[in-house]
């Protein structure tokens, strides 16, 4: 889903000439659409079975990235230009850092508001006990699909930013190792913890540098 967002965003900006902010949001929606399409047949899966299914889906998407040359550039990959915000080119890493920081703050505030809403409370209820949540009148399938759509929307936006960070995207950039690293960030930071995502990302990202 990170790769879907990256390729979609680059296609919107490069091929269609859509301005950066709109292309980034549209990439999120494309990733969310793919996520929802995957979530519908995967609704009955939980735990390790869902993890295996998502890994299988990643292998399928890797083949799509490799062979859909007109959009993804295939194995050759595609270059990604510097982000241009309404005529202001972010030529330095510092500019891009602050752009990512603004997006991060907006996404975090949005996630916090969702968790405090009825939808967020329904998601937490399903996480704790599906049977109890269903007995309270919560629509299990719809809430799960919503959760998957929201998470893949955010992942698509992250993919668009990652494309600009790498400045060149190819199928090799979205490997299983990257998936494991992202999952490790969540596990280390604490499942179900919004601020834990930050702690986990800091530890996983900086620990190899620190050990080196």
């Amino acid at each position: 889903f990170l790769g879907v967002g990256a390729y979609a965003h680059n296609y919107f900006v490069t091929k269609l000439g859509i301005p950066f902010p709109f292309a980034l949001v549209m990439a999120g929606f494309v990733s969310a659409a793919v996520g929802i399409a995957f979530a519908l047949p995967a609704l009955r899966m939980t735990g390790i079975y869902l993890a295996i299914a998502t890994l299988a889906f990643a292998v399928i998407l890797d083949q799509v990235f490799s062979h859909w040359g007109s959009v993804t550039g295939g194995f050759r990959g595609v270059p990604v230009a510097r982000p241009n915000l309404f005529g202001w080119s972010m030529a330095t890493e510092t500019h891009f850092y602050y752009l990512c920081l603004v997006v991060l703050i907006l996404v975090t505030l949005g996630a916090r508001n969702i968790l405090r809403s009825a939808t967020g409370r329904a998601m937490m209820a399903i996480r704790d006990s599906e049977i109890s949540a269903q007995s309270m009148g919560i629509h299990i399938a719809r809430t799960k699909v919503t959760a998957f759509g929201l998470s893949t929307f955010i992942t698509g936006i992250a993919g668009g930013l990652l494309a600009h960070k790498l400045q060149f995207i190819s199928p090799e950039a979205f490997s299983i190792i990257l998936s494991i690293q992202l999952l490790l960030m969540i596990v280390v930071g604490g499942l179900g913890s919004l601020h834990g995502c930050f702690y986990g990302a800091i530890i996983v990202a900086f620990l190899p540098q620190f050990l080196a």
Side-chain angles (χ1 to χ4, degrees):
F1 300 112
L2 199 70
V4 169
Y7 280 116
H9 174 71
N10 190 57
Y11 182 81
F12 291 145
V13 172
T14 307
K15 298 291 180 66
L16 303 183
I18 297 173
F20 171 81
F22 303 115
L24 194 63
V25 174
M26 288 171 64
F29 280 117
V30 170
S31 187
V34 176
I36 290 171
F38 168 77
L40 291 173
L43 278 176
R44 297 183 180 275
M45 300 180 188
T46 56
I48 188 67
Y49 303 105
L50 182 60
I52 292 171
T54 54
L55 286 173
F57 190 65
V59 172
I60 294 170
L61 282 181
D62 183 63
Q63 293 299 310
V64 174
F65 296 157
S66 300
H67 294 91
W68 196 4
S70 60
V71 174
T72 66
F75 291 105
R76 294 177 288 106
V78 287
V80 181
R82 291 277 186 182
N84 190 303
L85 196 61
F86 301 115
W88 177 41
S89 178
M90 299 186 180
T92 67
E93 291 290 327
T94 305
H95 291 157
F96 184 68
Y97 166 78
Y98 284 113
L99 170 66
C100 293
L101 185 62
V102 169
V103 173
L104 174 64
I105 291 170
L106 292 174
V107 168
T108 304
L109 291 175
R112 250 183 105 184
N113 287 329
I114 289 171
L115 288 175
R116 291 174 175 176
S117 68
T119 302
R121 290 195 296 271
M123 291 176 187
M124 288 185 279
I126 292 174
R127 178 195 65 192
D128 294 335
S129 174
E130 285 193 20
I131 296 173
S132 299
Q134 195 168 21
S135 68
M136 290 188 292
I138 296 173
H139 197 293
I140 304 294
R142 186 167 56 209
T143 307
K144 282 185 175 182
V145 171
T146 301
F148 220 99
L150 287 170
S151 62
T152 48
F153 174 78
I154 295 171
T155 307
I157 290 176
L161 292 174
L162 179 65
H164 288 290
K165 170 65 179 172
L166 298 175
Q167 296 185 23
F168 183 86
I169 49 175
S170 63
E172 289 79 16
F174 309 101
S175 63
I176 297 297
I177 299 298
L178 179 61
S179 299
I180 294 171
Q181 285 178 330
L182 294 173
L183 179 60
L184 189 61
M185 291 176 186
I186 304 300
V187 174
V188 170
L191 292 169
S193 170
L194 196 58
H195 57 269
C197 300
F198 296 94
Y199 300 144
I202 290 169
I203 292 170
V204 173
F206 285 104
L207 187 60
Q209 315 298 329
F210 175 75
L211 292 176

